[in-house]
């Protein structure tokens, strides 16, 4: 028997391995197997197909079967294949993105020993050997472990250690969450008795003072006397192991172990800080819906009887989330599961709390900021007999195993972060989720106050159902938007740096009334432009084709593409004058300036820089929510669907940077960002005010934002898209080529475009030099292919891959990369 498997590598297609006789009965499609690949490497592969057609090359044996039952359901394999086909990548790349690292160990995975681990059974010699090597610290690649241990095959050993929690996969993203498990101690049942305890006390006091001391400390911490008097062990206060260790001087570990061995203490783990720690069993409490909301809910259900996908266009704060919770409840009542997709990690925090209050531990959360071990756990729970009924997550949660999916909610469906840019698979989670729902016969609800034009177009063409929710909850009015003409104010010299007098006055008034303010500036750092005032020299990144941004708190110049940082030169390297100046306003500078204007106000900043360092986004949001901050300055992070009570003013500092982006979606995005951030104002009781600063007061998008006129944005943009043939009128495929050498990339891109023209004729545009044409030392060129929606995509894909193979087989292009981005 043979198994076709997919490897976690960017390779096309599947690889065939021989199934050893003793495994033949057990290997199933969807199980993981260990296979050798290349000269020395071992990978975790997934079985896609079983057959007995002997390939015409020598096959290697499967080394080990990792699962007794499949960890990948048939629908998941189908989704992987669909993504690979549609987004023109290999299925191995989908596999890499789809499973948490802990489920796909390979020679390159880095493991480290888990400091908190306590063995329940003695380790086997091979396991001990690995632990010894790891104790040297800092983590090791599995490939390195293989070499330094001389074991026949180290991977299964590592996997066992991983399962028992002795080792962990080293995290690239540092954990932002509390450890999942708290090691706790309690008095065992046998000694939960006053007489016995007194006896024990006496013996220990004489024989082992250290153990005595420890027991004493425990009894105090746990308030045991009371619990024993009441004869109820539940009344023992929980004592963590580290708490107990700290209560006793010296290193009481051996004494502790002795007490445990004697059966006086017992240890257990308690889950902390995570959802499933909650003991709540679906104490479901839903808000009663308003009339408008009830109406919307019923219309959605009616639309679903005709088409599986429905778009809910609800103005900000209309209560879309409330409508979702009712639909979730109805789906759960039918015994089905719900996938609730959000675009951003930022949003999950607020929503998690909101949903947890309603659905308790039936809710699971999955996102990339969780440590890998926790993601593995969520994955396995979804496979188990008692999976989460609701899964809240960001785009990668479409890869979880759903056994019984009934509803997919895609909130803020217009958000571009649903699209993965890099690395492959460059998939759009909204589209992939619709596919997933389609496979399981689930319904889909897309929700947004500013729908993506493609979705709205699908409504118009009858593909999606449509429901509108036009009023805010309790009829709070949408915010009033005042446009401020920056050009005019500058002419009259009335601008105070980035602030108009109107904006400053409004902020002042809001602060006096103890209201909060959000200031939105779509640039992070201190100053976006740095320049020599004498000769005009501009510092640029050495790896990328972009100018650098000045960051004041680190006093460095930073590249926002590759993350490199550079010192600020004391003098200009070009003309040697010491006259380097920074211009423009990033969020960091706005924060500084606003503090100068309002020294009494408490100001916080939310952008990529503040949310990856000490003050993480949760803290910032929490403080703002609790009213501990008055003014929140931020990038588009503050525009997302957050729900605050006391924000009465929103300032959009510079609409022009958004309008001048070189992208066919820039107007649509500018509208979405401005309408969304405006929607943060005045969500309770009173109407909010938005100050929109722009040099281009005549811009149609500005008018559409002011009038909240989505229809007219849609009409105008659709005309333009039609005229210039952009999606949704065609399918847009960007073909990128990358190489270290600019001449090579030039030549290759021209050759590529020429051959593509022979095949696809007028549908090919370019090659172009993209806006940012060099990133991390690689030069980039792009060729655009615009296919009719009716064109057979399989054929196009085959042709593209043929061309790619042909070009890359030429020696001069060997180290070039070709990849695709399907819009
Ligand atoms: P959206 O998702 O459309 O922006 P939300 O669902 O966040 O709107 O609702 C805005 C606010 O109004 C929330 O704080 C929400 O709790 C409240 N709200 C909306 N509908 C109701 C309702 N039917 N009962 C009680 N509160 C509601
Ligand atoms: Zn100069
Ligand atoms: Zn760079």
């Amino acid at each position: 028997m043979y198994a076709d498997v997919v490897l976690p590598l960017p390779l096309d297609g599947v690889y065939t391995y021989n199934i050893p006789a003793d495994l033949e009965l057990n290997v199933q499609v969807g199980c993981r197997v260990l296979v050798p690949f290349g000269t020395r490497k071992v990978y975790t592969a997934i079985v896609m197909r079983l057959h007995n057609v002997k390939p015409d090359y020598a096959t290697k044996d499967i080394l080990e079967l990792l699962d007794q039952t499949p960890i990948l359901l048939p629908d998941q394999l189908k989704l992987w294949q669909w993504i690979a086909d549609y987004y023109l990548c290999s299925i191995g790349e989908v596999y890499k993105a789809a499973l948490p690292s802990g489920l796909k160990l390979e020679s390159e995975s880095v493991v480290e020993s888990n400091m908190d681990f306590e063995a329940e059974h003695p380790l086997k010699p091979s396991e001990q050997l690995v632990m010894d090597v790891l104790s040297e610290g800092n983590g090791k690649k599995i490939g390195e472990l293989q070499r330094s241990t001389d074991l026949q095959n180290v991977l299964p050993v590592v996997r066992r250690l991983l399962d028992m929690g002795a080792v962990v996969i080293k995290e690239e993203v540092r954990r932002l969450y509390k450890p999942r498990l708290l090691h706790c101690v309690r008095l065992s049942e046998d000694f939960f008795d006053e007489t016995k305890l007194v006896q024990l006390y006496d013996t220990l006091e004489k024989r082992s003072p250290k153990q005595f001391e420890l027991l004493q400390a425990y009894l105090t911490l746990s308030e045991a006397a009371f619990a024993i008097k009441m004869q109820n062990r539940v009344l023992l206060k929980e004592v963590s192991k580290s708490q107990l260790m700290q209560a006793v001087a010296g290193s009481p570990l051996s004494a502790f172990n002795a007490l445990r061995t004697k059966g006086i203490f017992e240890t257990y783990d308690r889950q902390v800080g995570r959802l499933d720690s909650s003991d709540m069993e679906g104490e479901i409490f839903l808000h009663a819906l308003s009339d408008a909301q009830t109406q919307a809910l019923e219309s959605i259900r009616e639309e679903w009887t005709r088409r599986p996908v429905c778009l809910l266009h609800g103005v900000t704060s209309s209560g879309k989330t409330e409508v979702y919770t009712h639909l979730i409840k109805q789906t759960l009542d039918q015994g089905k599961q719900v996938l609730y997709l959000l675009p951003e990690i930022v949003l999950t925090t607020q929503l998690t709390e909101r949903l947890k209050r309603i659905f308790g531990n039936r809710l699971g959360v999955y996102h990339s900021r969780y440590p890998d071990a926790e993601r593995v756990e969520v994955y396995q729970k979804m496979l188990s007999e008692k999976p989460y009924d609701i899964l809240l997550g960001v785009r990668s949660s479409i890869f979880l195993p759903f056994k019984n999916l009934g509803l997919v909610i895609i909130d803020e469906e217009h958000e571009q972060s649903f699209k993965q840019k890099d690395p492959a698979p460059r998939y759009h989670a909204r589209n992939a989720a619709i596919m997933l729902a389609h496979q399981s016969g689930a319904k889909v609800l897309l929700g947004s106050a500013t729908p993506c034009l493609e979705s709205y177009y699908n409504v118009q063409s009858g593909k999606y159902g449509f429901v509108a929710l036009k009023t805010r909850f309790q009829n709070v009015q949408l915010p009033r938007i005042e446009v401020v003409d920056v050009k005019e104010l500058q002419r009259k010299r009335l601008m105070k740096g980035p602030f108009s007098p109107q904006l400053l006055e409004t902020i002042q008034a809001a602060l006096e009334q103890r209201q909060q303010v959000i200031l939105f500036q779509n640039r992070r750092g201190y100053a976006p432009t740095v320049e020599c005032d004498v000769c005009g020299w501009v510092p640029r990144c050495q790896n990328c084709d972009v100018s650098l941004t000045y960051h004041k708190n680190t006093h460095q110049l930073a590249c926002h593409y590759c993350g490199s940082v550079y010192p600020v030169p004391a003098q200009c390297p070009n003309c040697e004058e010491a006259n380097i100046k920074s211009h423009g306003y990033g969020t960091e500078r706005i924060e500084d300036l606003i503090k100068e204007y309002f020294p009494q106000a408490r100001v916080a900043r939310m952008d990529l820089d503040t949310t990856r360092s000490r003050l993480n986004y949760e803290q910032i949001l929490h403080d703002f929510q609790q009213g501990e901050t008055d003014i929140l300055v931020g990038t588009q992070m503050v525009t997302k669907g957050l729900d605050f009570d006391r924000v009465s003013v929103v300032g959009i500092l510079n609409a022009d940077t958004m309008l001048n982006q070189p992208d066919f979606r820039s107007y649509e995005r500018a509208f979405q960002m401005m309408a969304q951030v405006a929607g943060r104002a005045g969500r309770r009781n009173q109407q909010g005010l938005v100050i929109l600063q722009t040099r281009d007061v005549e811009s149609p998008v500005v008018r559409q934002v002011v009038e909240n006129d989505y229809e007219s944005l849609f009409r105008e943009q659709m005309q333009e898209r039609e005229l210039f043939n952009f999606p949704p009128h065609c399918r847009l495929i960007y073909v990128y080529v990358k190489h270290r050498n600019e001449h090579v990339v030039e030549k290759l891109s021209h050759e590529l475009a020429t051959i593509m023209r022979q095949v696809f004729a007028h549908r090919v545009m370019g090659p172009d030099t993209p806006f940012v044409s060099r990133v991390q030392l690689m030069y980039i060129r792009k060729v655009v292919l615009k296919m009719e929606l009716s064109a057979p995509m399989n054929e196009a894909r085959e042709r593209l891959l043929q061309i790619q193979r042909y070009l890359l087989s030429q020696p001069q292009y060997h180290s070039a990369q070709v990849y695709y981005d399907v819009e």
Side-chain angles (χ1 to χ4, degrees), residues 40 42 63 124-133 142-161:
R40 296 212 48 164
V42 175
L63 301 176
K124 292 185 187 162
S126 58
E127 293 163 356
Q128 194 55 52
L129 188 59
V130 169
M131 292 308 284
D132 290 346
V133 175
I142 292 180
E144 289 166 16
L145 280 175
Q146 180 70 63
R147 284 189 287 280
S148 33
T149 55
D150 267 342
L151 290 171
Q152 170 97 24
N153 188 357
V154 80
L155 235 162
V157 183
V158 171
R159 193 176 47 80
R160 284 201 303 273
L161 290 169

Side-chain angles (χ1 to χ4, degrees), residues 109 332 711:
S109 317
L332 299 190
E711 291 286 335

